[in-house]
Amino acid sequence: MPKTIKHDAKADFLLEKGIEILWSKGYNGTSVNDIVKAADVPKGSFYFYFESKEDFAVKAIEKYFNGHFASSKVILEDRSIDPMKRLLDFYEFRASLLKGEMECKMGCMACNLASEMAEHNEKIRTAILVKEQTVLSLITSVIQEAQDLGKIKNTMTAEVIAAFIEDAGKGSMISMKEMKSAVPIDNFITMVKEVLLK
């Protein structure tokens, strides 16, 4: 097996193990020792795959979005389905993950890191922002499609509606974690359905 494939496979394995820790403990609460211990590799080998913990975090953000947004992206991009249904299915799908697999405790790793690090680390802030803007752009395009078809009567621009929904979603995840309850997410979904996407 060529070295590049081995290298990529090992780096990906470290990312997979490290994401779990970053997600639960945050950037400052995660050490390189934590990552290599979880992956069961020598500490020195970490720096063969990553320049620093910061570099690891940036690559973890990339992997996180590529993995966790893949399924919901398929929902938004399926133009064989009515755009309003795609939007509602998208938000319901994300809510079900937060309430189900994550048991209202984890929230979004990128949101967690942004809250912790945006003020202190430009590379991490930018890595998150670029990915979030990609997601936002896709949501905006589907809202615009629904508006063009008369499915959404809200006269605000698709950009404003999408940005507000995403910002409100971040806030609901913070409240969800504080309360350890699905209520903030359920309230968010209700507002999306009954007010914002009307």
Side-chain angles (χ1 to χ4, degrees), residues 17-28:
K17 293 298 183 181
I19 281 173
E20 297 174 13
I21 303 168
L22 271 179
W23 203 340
S24 62
K25 297 175 67 174
Y27 183 81
N28 289 317

Side-chain angles (χ1 to χ4, degrees), residues 24-61:
S24 62
K25 297 175 67 174
Y27 183 81
N28 289 317
T30 299
S31 67
V32 171
N33 278 336
D34 292 331
I35 297 166
V36 297
K37 185 177 179 181
D40 194 27
V41 299
K43 183 175 181 179
S45 66
F46 177 89
Y47 296 101
F48 181 67
Y49 303 104
F50 305 100
E51 294 176 9
S52 62
K53 190 175 84 167
E54 176 191 65
D55 179 51
F56 176 88
V58 168
K59 289 181 170 64
I61 290 162

Side-chain angles (χ1 to χ4, degrees), residues 58-197:
V58 168
K59 289 181 170 64
I61 290 162
E62 175 83 17
K63 181 176 175 63
Y64 170 80
F65 271 98
N66 289 346
H68 286 265
F69 186 55
S71 298
S72 49
K73 184 180 179 185
V74 168
I75 295 171
L76 288 173
E77 291 182 332
D78 186 356
R79 294 181 69 91
S80 68
I81 297 173
D82 177 270
M84 178 64 81
K85 179 168 172 51
R86 276 147 55 200
L87 288 165
L88 296 179
D89 286 350
F90 168 74
Y91 284 109
E92 288 280 10
F93 175 74
R94 294 211 303 192
S96 70
L97 290 179
L98 290 167
K99 295 191 292 183
E101 291 179 22
M102 302 175 199
E103 300 178 328
C104 299
K105 297 175 183 176
M106 299 290 284
C108 165
M109 186 191 81
C111 294
N112 295 349
L113 287 177
S115 179
E116 178 188 7
M117 298 301 296
E119 188 179 350
H120 310 291
N121 189 296
E122 188 64 16
K123 286 185 179 179
I124 291 174
R125 184 194 72 81
T126 302
I128 295 168
L129 183 63
V130 166
K131 289 298 184 180
E132 286 184 342
Q133 289 297 316
T134 300
V135 175
L136 184 62
S137 177
L138 183 52
I139 294 168
T140 300
S141 69
V142 182
I143 291 175
Q144 185 65 63
E145 186 184 344
Q147 285 181 318
D148 292 344
L149 291 172
K151 303 286 185 178
I152 294 176
K153 307 298 184 185
N154 192 326
T155 58
M156 290 186 291
T157 66
E159 289 81 4
V160 169
I161 296 171
F164 184 83
I165 290 174
E166 286 298 283
D167 287 344
K170 292 175 186 177
S172 70
M173 283 189 283
I174 292 172
S175 295
M176 175 197 73
K177 291 193 297 177
E178 288 174 352
M179 297 168 64
K180 294 185 178 178
S181 166
V183 169
I185 297 299
D186 291 337
N187 289 342
F188 166 73
I189 292 294
T190 298
M191 288 296 293
V192 168
K193 286 181 176 179
E194 302 299 330
V195 179
L196 298 168
L197 293 182

